[in-house]
Amino acid sequence: MYLFLKLLLLLPAIQLLCAYTTENECMFQDTCERCLSTHINCSWCTDKSYNVRYRCLTRELLLAHGCGVDNIYENEPEMHTLKDAALKDYEDNDERAIQVQPQRIFLKLVKSNTQRVKLSYRPARNNPLDLYVLMDLTWTMRDDKETLVKLGAELSETLGTLTDNFRLGFGSFADKPAMPMIMPDLSSNPCASEHEVCEPTYGYRHHLALTSDVSSFVKSVNESRITGNLDNLEGGLDALMQVIVCPAEIGWKDEARRMVILVTDGFMHFAGDGLLAGITQPNNKQCNLSKTGEYLGTLTYDYPSLEEIYRELLRRKINVIFAVTAGVVSTYHELSGLMKEISNVEILSTDSSNILELIKRSYESFIKRAQFTDNSPSFIKLAYETDCGGQYDRLRQRNYCNNVQMGTQVDFYVNITLIDFPKDGVYTHKIRIEESSLTEYLEIELEIQKPCPCNEESVPDDEYGRFQCTENGYLQCGMCQCDEGWTGTFCSCSTQGTNTTTNEAIEMSCREPNLDNKAELNPVCWNRGECDCGTCLCLPGFMGPYCECLECDVNCDPDRADCICGKCVCKYGWSGTRCNCKESFDGCIGPTGEICSARGSCLCGTCECYDSYRGNFCEIDSETENKLCTFYEPCVTCLIEQKLGTAVCQNISEICSSQNENERFTYAFITEEIDSDVRCLARIENQHGIKCDHFFTYQSLGQSENYLLIQANQCEPVNKVAFIGFISVATFLLGFLIILLAWMCIKAKDAREYARFEENQRNSVLMESPIYKDPITRYEVPKVLKQSNSNPFLD
């Protein structure tokens, strides 16, 4: 009778198994929670009159098998957009720009199901900018302050190229006015050692709240005074913390892009350094400014840590630019690398003359980067995908994009998955997806579908319910609650004499151990069969103790192979993917006697070459020499020497035969060039002592069928007499030609110079003063007198 009832229950199940596909993962889940978590289309039937073995099926199958509509629990994910204002740039008549779309959505999540949300971002043109200049005003920065005052007019022009809607603020810092940061005797004038008078040392001073009046900014910088400290470590982080946590005093706008440019030439004090001055109380991350803007906590609280600064910058949506001199830039690069999404480092010139360029470049780098973060709890996973506005040819898993141009829309696809149910039983949450530098965000109102909220009262004596549970338990919410001594999905497994006293223990014996990750469990029977009291009953097409293997192909002949986990493992003497090849290597052994030149494997008498090798015997490699060329070369050399009559090989029959056969190679000599993909070279010295190149190719069909085609070249010696005569005549003619050309060039140059001289003579004008008198007197003897005195003996 018991066997008949079991067969009766199994009859509808057998019909379902015949129609099973690998996509149907529902039917083997034995609890409502596991059922709904397996697949989005899985549904659970709690109807007591339902007489099919499997209660976890699709809604359509449950209805088809008689489950009542009101007794079906199913996954019901939802998504509604609550606020979806279009992206727009900033306009003067608007309150703010819109750079993130949509702004609010509602999601109902189902465990293990992923909901996909499209999030669009576009950097707005002319968006408000709040820029706070935080400057080191110690002694070494005195020139930099003056430079900033001189650049006041240009500052307005530079910021105007970025946005028309900007505001400026100003503050300065030095260090804690305590030993060893200062010398006590120089506290009133820390610049006395430089023979100058300056302001007493202070920690941080807020001079000007954010304003659109550039002249007020220049005036505030000009009126600030230089101070000094003892060491080269400054209290910049103290000052930066106050700038961040004092929004009312600084005047930060919610809709503005907020930036702080920290200008210094020194290093920074970090948390713990206050101990040197006896200051041990941790930084309280609260605003401690007086009405005049003086930092009151400088001698009370320690410097903040970098992690505290980073968290506050993220929370307040503030970007920071470290404008530092070249001597300390490497340190600040390391510091910025710990918070790279909200910080940047620029090299400051010695007098800060390039500060406007740094502000412009940093602003553009911030505005071109889009990065989204969220506050999702641990049991909800958010994964981001984007192509960064067409920068990539496919979606990539990342939550940020670089080089986003102004006005370009970038779409992020956020995949939201409920990994597990919340432990605290809270099923409604709010998640914010925020852009790291803006106050805009997408708010997700989240509802989690509860795991099978069945409130059915148990009826242990219900006859049909006990029948469903093999008379060893009763049915409640579609699940068998077993009597003592029984367990299993249908209470059909006895716990006597075994350690498997629970359904979970039975399932563990049906799960294949996960050797890669022991914390992660593999599916029961790999969702390819049913766990029956710790043993997997596999569906058709699967095999193995956990149904982990496919059944072997019908072409796997049992006489030639063994079926091992879905693969045909060939028996001795057989090979091939279907084990239909006799293991014979005759067709794979080349003339060298090697199987596939030891560069491949022989499959069914044909060489299957390894990567980078080719040829009938895998003899060809692009990086090393051809094995058959090397093998044939001694034979070809011998044949060519024999043809040219330079030598006679004594063992030509031995050389010109295959490795394991005595048959000689068949060969032929040709005079034309060899036209073949494979050309081998044999270099031979002829009777004239000249090394001559001879090319040949081969065709090999096995060890006993080898063909050689040889191109034998005649390399005649050079006629030395004719060669020397030709060189001599050519040298003489070339020398004569060079001399003739040089002579012609000289003649032409002389002619040009003489013509230029004559031209200058014609154009010359004699310029003499009319009162000029030549100091040289010239006298010429009269001709008559010369003739009369020509003979001194005549008188």
Side-chain angles (χ1 to χ4, degrees), residues 613-632:
Y613 299 112
R614 58 189 177 91
N616 290 339
F617 302 104
C618 308
E619 74 277 7
I620 303 172
D621 181 19
S622 58
E623 297 182 359
T624 59
E625 58 184 341
N626 188 315
K627 274 198 171 186
L628 287 188
C629 286
T630 305
F631 178 76
Y632 286 130

Side-chain angles (χ1 to χ4, degrees), residues 476-496:
Q476 184 181 15
C477 294
M479 295 174 282
C480 285
Q481 308 298 323
C482 298
D483 297 337
E484 186 177 353
W486 296 93
T487 188
T489 303
F490 301 99
C491 302
S492 57
C493 305
S494 175
T495 61
Q496 295 180 3

